[in-house]
């Protein structure tokens, strides 16, 4: 039974489901546009997200490679949204016709809260396929937790190879498979290959030639966002670094770490990274909202939900018409999400004040991708850039776009220190089992007492 939250009567309540790009930037826009109303309690804004921070996802590959501290790629929501209520919880159900949502907090019973305006900004989750062994052995790169785990796991594989003479175990540990040739997959394999190559400088038994990186892509090209020519150039560059780029190839099985591909190859791999697409967050399907064949919320050019009043959406979980290309939808990237969120916030304010909503119109300015330290590829405003200039463009663009001055400064500080200090290549895999040594020590303390208790007692004199 859900507990009913106490509500302030009369004040319009705006519920934002999701604290990512769209959720956070919409709330920031509302704070700016409704500053007086929020201060006087005439409007209320609640942001509900399983995490109390927003993740700047373009920096996750660099965080996994150790170029940026993981804490510097996240923005604390409560710090940047002081006039909003931030709930670290999940929306498990909602009924927009009646204006209520069921929220499941970290602890305790679920809670029912009422709202007047809905913003569906739950974002996307990895789109998994029914491939045997994938769920048990794969990992994505969508969250800062996954970036931290992936970094520790990859470095731990190097440690395994360094500390054993078992040839089969070494081959498995030093084989890294990345599935998906879009931005996430290409940047991940490039950054982590760069990091592991650097880490081998401090090892005696593992050399760069021992590393085996494989990029698997179902389509006939990688990085479609930068065009066919630059995608082909990127594939050549990756192959020149020893990365095996397999296109028109599918992952068919990953049971027990044995990778089987559609080209007939089969081998053991200690690492499997899945970046082959995303789908709308599950809450979208539980809310009774209109969705398209891909499971995305049907949106309009005004960023409203089709057929609903006082309901808005944008970002990865929404199908928003691209008015610059007839019959197309805005791609699910940060460039569109941030711009959509600002207009979404403005349109909510217009709705509150009885004004006409404005349509979302934005032409794609291009794309940039980092391929490791001092390497990149870009296509922007029709210009094709590659190598060091593209890497510099990548860092300049994202350094400017990461939210808040605090995070900009910290990221730039990380990059600046990296110019003078060597990259850290230490695995902290033990942080994922922090109580293991404690439990072992406790077990050792118990054993002597158990042995004494088991000794037969001498008969009394």
């Amino acid at each position: 039974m859900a507990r009913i939250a106490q509500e302030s009567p009369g004040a319009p309540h705006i519920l934002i489901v999701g604290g990512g790009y769209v959720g956070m930037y919409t709330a920031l826009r509302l704070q700016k546009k409704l500053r007086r109303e929020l201060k006087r309690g005439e409007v209320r804004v609640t942001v509900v997200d399983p995490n109390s921070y927003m993740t700047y996802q373009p920096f996750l590959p660099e965080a996994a490679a150790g170029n940026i501290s993981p804490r510097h790629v996240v923005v604390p929501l409560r710090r940047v949204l002081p006039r909003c209520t931030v709930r670290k919880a999940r929306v498990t159900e909602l009924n927009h016709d009646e204006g209520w949502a069921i929220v499941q907090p970290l602890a305790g019973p679920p809670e029912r809260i009422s709202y007047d305006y809905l913003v569906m900004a739950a974002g996307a989750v990895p789109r998994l396929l029914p491939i045997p062994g994938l769920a048990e052995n794969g990992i994505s790169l969508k969250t800062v937790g996954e970036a931290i785990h992936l970094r520790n796991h990859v470095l731990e594989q190097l440690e395994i190879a360094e500390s054993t003479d078992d040839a089969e175990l070494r081959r498995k540990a030093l084989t890294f498979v990345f599935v998906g040739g879009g931005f996430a997959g290409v940047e991940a394999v490039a950054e982590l290959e760069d990091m592991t190559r650097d880490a081998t400088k401090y090892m005696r038994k593992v050399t760069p030639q021992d590393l085996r990186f494989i990029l698997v892509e179902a389509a006939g090209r990688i990085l479609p966002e930068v065009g066919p020519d630059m995608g082909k150039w990127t594939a050549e560059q990756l192959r020149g670094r020893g990365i095996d780029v397999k296109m028109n190839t599918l992952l068919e099985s990953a049971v027990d770490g044995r990778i089987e591909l559609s080209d007939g190859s089969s081998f053991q791999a200690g690492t499997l990274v899945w970046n082959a697409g995303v789908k709308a967050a599950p809450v979208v399907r539980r809310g009774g909202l209109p969705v398209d064949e891909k499971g995305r919320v049907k949106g309009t050019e005004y960023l409203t939900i089709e057929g609903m009043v006082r309901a808005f959406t944008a970002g990865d979980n929404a199908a928003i018409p691209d008015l610059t290309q007839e019959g197309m939808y805005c791609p699910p990237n940060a460039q569109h999400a941030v711009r959509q969120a600002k207009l979404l916030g403005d349109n909510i304010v217009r709705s509150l004040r009885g004004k006409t909503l404005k349509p979302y119109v934005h032409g794609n300015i291009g794309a940039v991708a980092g391929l490791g330290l001092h390497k990149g590829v870009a296509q922007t405003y029709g210009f094709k850039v590659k190598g060091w200039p593209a890497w510099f463009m990548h860092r300049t663009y994202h350094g400017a776009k990461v939210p808040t001055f605090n995070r900009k400064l910290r990221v730039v500080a990380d990059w600046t220190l990296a110019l003078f200090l060597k990259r850290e290549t230490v695995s902290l895999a033990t942080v994922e089992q922090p109580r293991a040594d404690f439990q072992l020590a406790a077990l050792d303390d118990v054993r002597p007492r158990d042995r004494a208790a088991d000794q037969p007692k001498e008969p009394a004199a």
Side-chain angles (χ1 to χ4, degrees), residues 311-332:
F312 296 80
T313 190
D316 292 356
N317 66 191
I320 304 298
D322 187 348
L323 298 185
T324 66
Q325 301 183 70
E326 186 176 354
M328 302 295 289
Y329 291 94
C330 296

Side-chain angles (χ1 to χ4, degrees), residues 4-23:
I4 300 178
Q6 297 296 320
E7 306 289 349
S8 301
H13 186 196
I14 303 168
L15 174 64
I16 301 177
V17 181
Y21 287 102
V22 174

Side-chain angles (χ1 to χ4, degrees), residues 118 120 289-290 297-300 303-308 311-313:
L118 171 69
M120 180 51 68
L289 306 176
V297 181
K298 291 182 179 181
T300 71
L303 305 181
T304 58
I305 297 178
E306 188 177 289
M308 292 186 164
F312 296 80
T313 190

Side-chain angles (χ1 to χ4, degrees), residues 139-196:
I139 184 174
S140 183
L141 191 54
K142 288 282 291 178
T143 69
V144 68
E146 289 173 331
I148 295 171
H149 169 79
L150 187 57
R151 171 178 170 78
N152 288 327
H153 172 80
V154 168
L155 291 174
E156 193 73 1
Q157 297 303 299
L158 297 185
E159 295 290 353
I160 290 173
E162 178 73 4
S163 60
T164 184
D165 292 323
D166 186 319
E168 184 175 346
L169 181 58
R170 280 171 54 83
R171 278 195 300 271
K172 178 179 180 179
L174 297 177
T175 300
F176 309 89
V177 178
F178 292 73
V179 181
F183 265 120
V186 170
E187 289 190 322
V189 69
E191 291 286 357
L192 287 165
E193 188 274 339
D194 202 44
M195 179 193 73
T196 53

Side-chain angles (χ1 to χ4, degrees), residues 47-292:
V47 180
V48 180
D49 192 276
N51 299 306
S52 59
Y53 53 81
M54 175 265 194
T55 303
Y56 192 73
Q57 292 184 355
F59 279 158
L60 288 179
E62 287 204 58
N67 297 330
I68 301 175
S69 169
R71 292 183 181 275
H72 299 167
V73 304
V74 297
V75 180
L77 293 177
R78 291 189 177 90
R79 182 181 298 175
V80 299
L81 302 174
R83 299 201 180 280
C84 300
T85 299
V86 176
R87 299 286 302 272
K88 186 173 181 178
R90 294 182 182 275
V91 173
T92 59
E93 183 183 354
L94 62 85
N95 186 319
H96 186 68
D97 292 336
E98 298 180 11
W100 56 261
I102 302 299
V103 174
Q104 178 61 62
L106 286 174
E111 184 176 316
R112 173 172 162 167
I113 60 176
S114 300
Y115 66 85
D116 301 289
Y117 286 80
L118 171 69
V119 178
M120 180 51 68
V125 297
R127 177 176 58 87
L128 300 186
L129 300 179
I131 298 172
L134 174 59
E136 295 79 8
N137 298 290
I139 184 174
S140 183
L141 191 54
K142 288 282 291 178
T143 69
V144 68
E146 289 173 331
I148 295 171
H149 169 79
L150 187 57
R151 171 178 170 78
N152 288 327
H153 172 80
V154 168
L155 291 174
E156 193 73 1
Q157 297 303 299
L158 297 185
E159 295 290 353
I160 290 173
E162 178 73 4
S163 60
T164 184
D165 292 323
D166 186 319
E168 184 175 346
L169 181 58
R170 280 171 54 83
R171 278 195 300 271
K172 178 179 180 179
L174 297 177
T175 300
F176 309 89
V177 178
F178 292 73
V179 181
F183 265 120
V186 170
E187 289 190 322
V189 69
E191 291 286 357
L192 287 165
E193 188 274 339
D194 202 44
M195 179 193 73
T196 53
R197 182 178 294 273
D198 198 40
T200 60
K201 297 176 182 177
Y202 311 104
M203 295 185 168
R204 291 176 177 268
K205 295 167 62 177
V206 179
T207 68
Q209 290 71 35
D210 297 324
L211 303 175
R212 185 184 182 190
F213 278 82
I214 302 165
L215 177 64
V216 179
E217 168 55 40
R221 62 174 180 168
I222 63 173
L223 282 185
E225 299 88 347
V226 298
D229 293 341
M230 300 305 282
K232 182 179 179 181
W233 179 87
T234 302
E236 293 172 352
Q237 292 298 306
L238 295 179
R239 287 177 175 135
R241 290 162 55 176
I243 300 173
D244 186 3
V245 181
K246 293 177 176 287
M247 290 182 271
N248 297 309
T249 306
L250 302 173
L251 173 67
E252 294 187 338
S253 177
V255 176
D256 297 329
R258 174 159 289 279
I259 304 300
E260 295 182 8
L261 303 178
S262 61
D263 65 357
S265 56
S266 177
F267 50 87
Q268 288 284 337
T271 305
L272 172 61
V273 184
W274 178 267
N275 285 301
V278 296
K279 63 181 180 180
V283 67
V284 168
R285 298 187 296 276
R286 302 183 193 133
L289 306 176
V291 297
D292 66 3

Side-chain angles (χ1 to χ4, degrees), residues 382-439:
F383 293 98
K384 300 176 182 179
V385 187
K386 52 192 177 184
W388 189 93
W391 171 82
F392 182 77
M393 287 176 60
H394 173 266
R395 284 203 164 181
T396 302
Y397 176 80
H398 288 298
K401 292 299 181 182
V402 65
T404 78
F405 178 76
N406 178 300
R407 286 303 182 264
K408 294 181 197 296
L409 189 61
R410 290 178 183 274
V411 167
V412 171
D414 286 342
W415 286 339
T416 303
L417 287 173
L419 296 174
F420 305 99
L421 304 177
K422 294 181 179 180
R423 190 204 306 251
E424 291 290 347
T425 55
V426 178
S427 170
L428 298 179
T430 53
V431 301
E432 297 177 29
Q433 294 181 323
R435 300 185 66 247
D437 288 343
F438 181 83
Q439 291 170 332

